[in-house]
mmCIF file of all heavy atoms in Angstrom:
data_model
loop_
_atom_site.group_PDB
_atom_site.id
_atom_site.type_symbol
_atom_site.label_atom_id
_atom_site.label_comp_id
_atom_site.label_asym_id
_atom_site.label_seq_id
_atom_site.Cartn_x
_atom_site.Cartn_y
_atom_site.Cartn_z
ATOM 1 N N GLY N 303 -14.123 8.466 7.416
ATOM 2 C CA GLY N 303 -12.742 8.001 7.636
ATOM 3 C C GLY N 303 -11.825 8.762 6.696
ATOM 4 O O GLY N 303 -10.916 8.200 6.094
ATOM 5 N N ALA N 305 -9.582 11.071 7.142
ATOM 6 C CA ALA N 305 -8.262 11.518 7.629
ATOM 7 C C ALA N 305 -8.169 13.047 7.581
ATOM 8 O O ALA N 305 -9.018 13.728 8.143
ATOM 9 C CB ALA N 305 -7.152 10.831 6.862
ATOM 10 N N PHE N 308 -7.570 14.976 2.559
ATOM 11 C CA PHE N 308 -6.756 15.242 1.358
ATOM 12 C C PHE N 308 -7.421 14.733 0.091
ATOM 13 O O PHE N 308 -7.191 15.260 -0.994
ATOM 14 C CB PHE N 308 -5.343 14.655 1.524
ATOM 15 C CG PHE N 308 -5.302 13.148 1.525
ATOM 16 C CD1 PHE N 308 -4.938 12.447 0.387
ATOM 17 C CD2 PHE N 308 -5.639 12.436 2.664
ATOM 18 C CE1 PHE N 308 -4.910 11.063 0.378
ATOM 19 C CE2 PHE N 308 -5.628 11.043 2.671
ATOM 20 C CZ PHE N 308 -5.263 10.366 1.523
ATOM 21 N N VAL N 309 -8.269 13.725 0.226
ATOM 22 C CA VAL N 309 -8.959 13.199 -0.964
ATOM 23 C C VAL N 309 -10.063 14.184 -1.377
ATOM 24 O O VAL N 309 -10.148 14.596 -2.539
ATOM 25 C CB VAL N 309 -9.558 11.798 -0.671
ATOM 26 C CG1 VAL N 309 -10.371 11.306 -1.855
ATOM 27 C CG2 VAL N 309 -8.452 10.812 -0.316
ATOM 28 N N ASP N 326 -13.560 11.778 10.842
ATOM 29 C CA ASP N 326 -12.547 10.799 11.256
ATOM 30 C C ASP N 326 -12.552 10.712 12.779
ATOM 31 O O ASP N 326 -13.066 11.614 13.451
ATOM 32 C CB ASP N 326 -11.148 11.198 10.755
ATOM 33 C CG ASP N 326 -10.241 9.995 10.553
ATOM 34 O OD1 ASP N 326 -9.742 9.459 11.563
ATOM 35 O OD2 ASP N 326 -10.047 9.576 9.394
ATOM 36 N N ILE N 327 -11.948 9.635 13.262
ATOM 37 C CA ILE N 327 -11.845 9.484 14.717
ATOM 38 C C ILE N 327 -10.545 10.115 15.214
ATOM 39 O O ILE N 327 -10.395 10.424 16.394
ATOM 40 C CB ILE N 327 -11.923 7.982 15.092
ATOM 41 C CG1 ILE N 327 -12.347 7.818 16.545
ATOM 42 C CG2 ILE N 327 -10.621 7.258 14.826
ATOM 43 C CD1 ILE N 327 -12.723 6.390 16.900
ATOM 44 N N ALA N 328 -9.605 10.308 14.288
ATOM 45 C CA ALA N 328 -8.279 10.818 14.670
ATOM 46 C C ALA N 328 -8.304 12.351 14.705
ATOM 47 O O ALA N 328 -8.286 13.008 13.654
ATOM 48 C CB ALA N 328 -7.218 10.322 13.688
ATOM 49 N N HIS N 355 -15.983 11.793 14.218
ATOM 50 C CA HIS N 355 -17.048 10.773 14.175
ATOM 51 C C HIS N 355 -16.430 9.382 14.177
ATOM 52 O O HIS N 355 -15.482 9.114 13.428
ATOM 53 C CB HIS N 355 -17.915 10.967 12.922
ATOM 54 C CG HIS N 355 -18.866 9.827 12.690
ATOM 55 N ND1 HIS N 355 -19.827 9.453 13.623
ATOM 56 C CD2 HIS N 355 -18.999 8.948 11.655
ATOM 57 C CE1 HIS N 355 -20.493 8.413 13.160
ATOM 58 N NE2 HIS N 355 -20.011 8.084 11.976
ATOM 59 N N ASP N 356 -16.965 8.521 15.016
ATOM 60 C CA ASP N 356 -16.555 7.118 15.059
ATOM 61 C C ASP N 356 -17.511 6.352 14.150
ATOM 62 O O ASP N 356 -18.719 6.323 14.411
ATOM 63 C CB ASP N 356 -16.660 6.634 16.521
ATOM 64 C CG ASP N 356 -16.347 5.155 16.648
ATOM 65 O OD1 ASP N 356 -16.148 4.484 15.608
ATOM 66 O OD2 ASP N 356 -16.301 4.675 17.793
ATOM 67 N N PHE N 357 -16.965 5.747 13.095
ATOM 68 C CA PHE N 357 -17.883 5.126 12.131
ATOM 69 C C PHE N 357 -18.522 3.834 12.648
ATOM 70 O O PHE N 357 -19.281 3.178 11.941
ATOM 71 C CB PHE N 357 -17.281 4.975 10.734
ATOM 72 C CG PHE N 357 -15.914 4.355 10.601
ATOM 73 C CD1 PHE N 357 -15.589 3.161 11.204
ATOM 74 C CD2 PHE N 357 -14.953 4.979 9.791
ATOM 75 C CE1 PHE N 357 -14.340 2.588 11.033
ATOM 76 C CE2 PHE N 357 -13.695 4.418 9.626
ATOM 77 C CZ PHE N 357 -13.386 3.218 10.248
ATOM 78 N N PHE N 358 -18.237 3.485 13.904
ATOM 79 C CA PHE N 358 -18.974 2.371 14.509
ATOM 80 C C PHE N 358 -20.209 2.863 15.265
ATOM 81 O O PHE N 358 -20.852 2.112 15.980
ATOM 82 C CB PHE N 358 -18.053 1.537 15.408
ATOM 83 C CG PHE N 358 -17.082 0.748 14.579
ATOM 84 C CD1 PHE N 358 -15.732 1.077 14.565
ATOM 85 C CD2 PHE N 358 -17.523 -0.282 13.763
ATOM 86 C CE1 PHE N 358 -14.859 0.377 13.764
ATOM 87 C CE2 PHE N 358 -16.652 -0.989 12.959
ATOM 88 C CZ PHE N 358 -15.301 -0.658 12.954
ATOM 89 N N ARG N 372 -13.306 5.794 1.269
ATOM 90 C CA ARG N 372 -12.145 5.455 0.457
ATOM 91 C C ARG N 372 -11.030 4.845 1.299
ATOM 92 O O ARG N 372 -10.587 5.408 2.283
ATOM 93 C CB ARG N 372 -11.596 6.700 -0.242
ATOM 94 C CG ARG N 372 -10.367 6.378 -1.131
ATOM 95 C CD ARG N 372 -9.726 7.634 -1.651
ATOM 96 N NE ARG N 372 -8.607 7.383 -2.536
ATOM 97 C CZ ARG N 372 -7.344 7.365 -2.141
ATOM 98 N NH1 ARG N 372 -7.003 7.525 -0.881
ATOM 99 N NH2 ARG N 372 -6.379 7.163 -3.014
ATOM 100 N N PHE N 373 -10.615 3.647 0.897
ATOM 101 C CA PHE N 373 -9.428 3.000 1.453
ATOM 102 C C PHE N 373 -9.574 2.786 2.966
ATOM 103 O O PHE N 373 -8.632 2.959 3.724
ATOM 104 C CB PHE N 373 -8.205 3.886 1.151
ATOM 105 C CG PHE N 373 -6.919 3.129 1.168
ATOM 106 C CD1 PHE N 373 -6.860 1.813 0.768
ATOM 107 C CD2 PHE N 373 -5.737 3.743 1.590
ATOM 108 C CE1 PHE N 373 -5.665 1.116 0.774
ATOM 109 C CE2 PHE N 373 -4.535 3.050 1.601
ATOM 110 C CZ PHE N 373 -4.507 1.740 1.191
ATOM 111 N N TRP N 378 -10.874 -3.749 7.601
ATOM 112 C CA TRP N 378 -11.777 -4.339 8.586
ATOM 113 C C TRP N 378 -12.291 -5.706 8.167
ATOM 114 O O TRP N 378 -12.729 -5.884 7.036
ATOM 115 C CB TRP N 378 -12.961 -3.384 8.835
ATOM 116 C CG TRP N 378 -12.486 -2.089 9.400
ATOM 117 C CD1 TRP N 378 -12.162 -0.958 8.711
ATOM 118 C CD2 TRP N 378 -12.194 -1.814 10.777
ATOM 119 N NE1 TRP N 378 -11.710 0.010 9.574
ATOM 120 C CE2 TRP N 378 -11.726 -0.492 10.850
ATOM 121 C CE3 TRP N 378 -12.313 -2.548 11.966
ATOM 122 C CZ2 TRP N 378 -11.354 0.111 12.061
ATOM 123 C CZ3 TRP N 378 -11.947 -1.958 13.164
ATOM 124 C CH2 TRP N 378 -11.474 -0.638 13.199
HETATM 125 C C1 SAM J 41 -6.305 3.955 5.603
HETATM 126 S S1 SAM J 41 -6.946 5.449 6.233
HETATM 127 C C2 SAM J 41 -7.849 6.052 4.865
HETATM 128 C C3 SAM J 41 -7.853 7.540 4.804
HETATM 129 C C4 SAM J 41 -8.481 8.146 3.550
HETATM 130 N N1 SAM J 41 -9.891 7.860 3.452
HETATM 131 C C5 SAM J 41 -7.774 7.703 2.277
HETATM 132 O O1 SAM J 41 -8.425 7.501 1.283
HETATM 133 O O2 SAM J 41 -6.539 7.587 2.292
HETATM 134 C C6 SAM J 41 -8.197 4.915 7.355
HETATM 135 C C7 SAM J 41 -8.802 6.060 8.146
HETATM 136 O O3 SAM J 41 -9.841 5.535 8.979
HETATM 137 C C8 SAM J 41 -9.802 6.241 10.209
HETATM 138 N N2 SAM J 41 -10.484 5.456 11.251
HETATM 139 C C9 SAM J 41 -10.078 4.317 11.859
HETATM 140 N N3 SAM J 41 -11.000 3.914 12.748
HETATM 141 C C10 SAM J 41 -12.029 4.807 12.681
HETATM 142 C C11 SAM J 41 -13.298 4.920 13.345
HETATM 143 N N4 SAM J 41 -13.677 4.013 14.242
HETATM 144 N N5 SAM J 41 -14.080 5.941 13.011
HETATM 145 C C12 SAM J 41 -13.718 6.860 12.079
HETATM 146 N N6 SAM J 41 -12.525 6.817 11.425
HETATM 147 C C13 SAM J 41 -11.699 5.799 11.728
HETATM 148 C C14 SAM J 41 -8.324 6.385 10.467
HETATM 149 O O4 SAM J 41 -8.060 7.402 11.434
HETATM 150 C C15 SAM J 41 -7.816 6.742 9.071
HETATM 151 O O5 SAM J 41 -7.841 8.121 8.840
#
Side-chain angles (χ1 to χ4, degrees):
F308 69 100
V309 175
D326 208 284
I327 202 168
H355 170 59
D356 176 355
F357 49 50
F358 288 110
R372 181 188 183 265
F373 203 33
W378 298 93

